[in-house]
Amino acid sequence: MCGIWALFGSDECLSVQCLSAMKIAHRGPDAFRFENVNGFTNCCFGFHRLAVVDQLYGMQPIRVKKFPYLWLCYNGEIYNFKQLQKQFGFEYQTLVDGEVILHLYNRGGIEQTASMLDGVFAFILLDTANRKVFLARDTYGVRPLFKVLTDDGFLGVCSEAKGLINLKHSTSLCPKVEPFLPGHYEVLDLKPSGKVASVELVKFHSYKDEPLHAACDSVETLPSAGFDLETVKSNIRILFENAVRKRLMAHRRIGCLLSGGLDSSLVAAVLLKLMKEINISYPLQTFAIGMENSPDLVAARKVAAHIGSEHHEVIFNSEEGIQAIEEVIFSLETYDITTVRASIGMYLVSKYVRKKTDSVVIFSGEGSDELTQGYIYFHKAPSPEEAAEESERLLKELYLFDVLRADRTTAAHGLELRVPFLDHRFTSYYLSLPAELRIPKNGIEKYLLRESFEDSNLLPKEILWRPKEAFSDGIASVKKSWFSFLQDYIDQQIDDLLLEKAVEKYPFNPPKTKESYYYRQIFEKHYPGQSNWLPHYWMPRWVKATDPSARTLKHYKSATQE
């Protein structure tokens, strides 16, 4: 996890512009470099480093003797860099996994490069010999990337939008900053003036397709094909374990967030099992957060005892959570209701990890709810086919919601997030399964995933079959949800009249509740006029919901009242 920043064709003094690069310093607390491009006085790279691999030669932009005309700034981890080296005979100059991007590009161009990378990444690649700039981002947007491109060819690129919004440019008072689409690469021509012109934006991978790099994966082919239940369950176990195993690549201590829900518990259990297999010497630290008597804390304690992790609990009160709202919204760069709610707990636990422990590489369970139909409202899906379509829509928008939350809350404290549920092989296989296999069964969501690990003894049965609990709900007691604490406080902060006039003040995505208005107000304070970064609020489907919390849904209420 690092912070990348680059400008091409700046009219303003670079020493002034580079102050914007410091807005993302939290992403790389270990080192910083600012470098001009030879022959282009108005082009430069900025890089904030979190040293996870190759402590000696890991600074960026990466340049190697073999390709002196290539400059690479990237944020991410490429898990198959050794397999690609073996397959194509690449001679690496460093131990940095991202160096493979230079070799792939030299061998087969940008299309093959993006398609062959198994990992999470956002990168800026400059080819001064051919006068090209390339931008690319991984399939699910696990690593963030924003860009600004003006009509006269000034390009700014950054890991977070906050590094671009204050850039100065002669022809535009407020250039439009927008997220770079996941699963895409863009080709731009670099003119002698340092300005650029976009040539094409290409989608290089659809998450339903098996990725091109599957051919050189450590699990090349699955032992058996077909959709009989035992085969499917076995394949799910094999691919999930493989997803966790490849993410063990690190020179810094590994930890795991543990809410006690199915997803984070499975990640923690498999992670600890594999760490033992490869003889990692230190114990796995797991981290849970909650208010006094929260269901998450109780469940996480059971999991930690079962798997034998070194468990840490972070207990917070409503006042501490409320005090964190503004800094959380600033970190997130969004005003989405459920994202803000869920981010507060994750932000506070990440703060604890950074201050009180030496764990830096943090595993988490993001992506499972979208992939395996874990949200409560999937019980109301009209048909398996519509449920499958909804699952794909959620995956497509992950970069706006859960993946955004997970990246920003951990990156704000200089931690690196790893999310095995969003492994390319695992997700493409799961999405290839018949729609009727993936729907909730017997009133239980994620039934297939749970059933796949039924006989593994990885988790206690009551955890394996624990019903879905939204992170923003599970961290508080059943008697009073976290969102209820928030709403009680915000009711005192926002006047009824303000809410009545919300549509006039905020015509795009107008707030419909005081809570929503409060978040929007803070967002606009830090990012005025940028409300289009969030195309729409996250809300459940097929139910008449006015609030995104699972605890407001009928299915949840009936389950807790039994």
Side-chain angles (χ1 to χ4, degrees), residues 30-46:
D30 295 331
F32 171 65
R33 177 183 282 174
F34 185 70
E35 191 166 333
N36 286 17
V37 178
N38 303 345
F40 294 91
T41 56
N42 57 358
C43 302
C44 60
F45 288 93

Side-chain angles (χ1 to χ4, degrees), residues 400-448:
L400 297 166
F401 300 108
D402 276 24
V403 153
L404 179 150
R405 164 180 56 79
D407 173 82
R408 300 304 196 288
T409 54
T410 51
H413 302 290
L415 303 176
E416 177 175 294
L417 186 79
R418 299 211 171 161
V419 282
F421 274 109
L422 292 176
D423 180 76
H424 296 172
R425 288 287 304 283
F426 182 71
T427 56
S428 64
Y429 177 74
Y430 208 97
L431 292 170
S432 75
L433 300 173
E436 58 274 11
L437 265 186
R438 293 182 271 148
I439 56 171
K441 285 189 175 63
N442 305 332
I444 300 169
E445 65 286 338
K446 291 190 264 203
Y447 194 90
L448 177 61

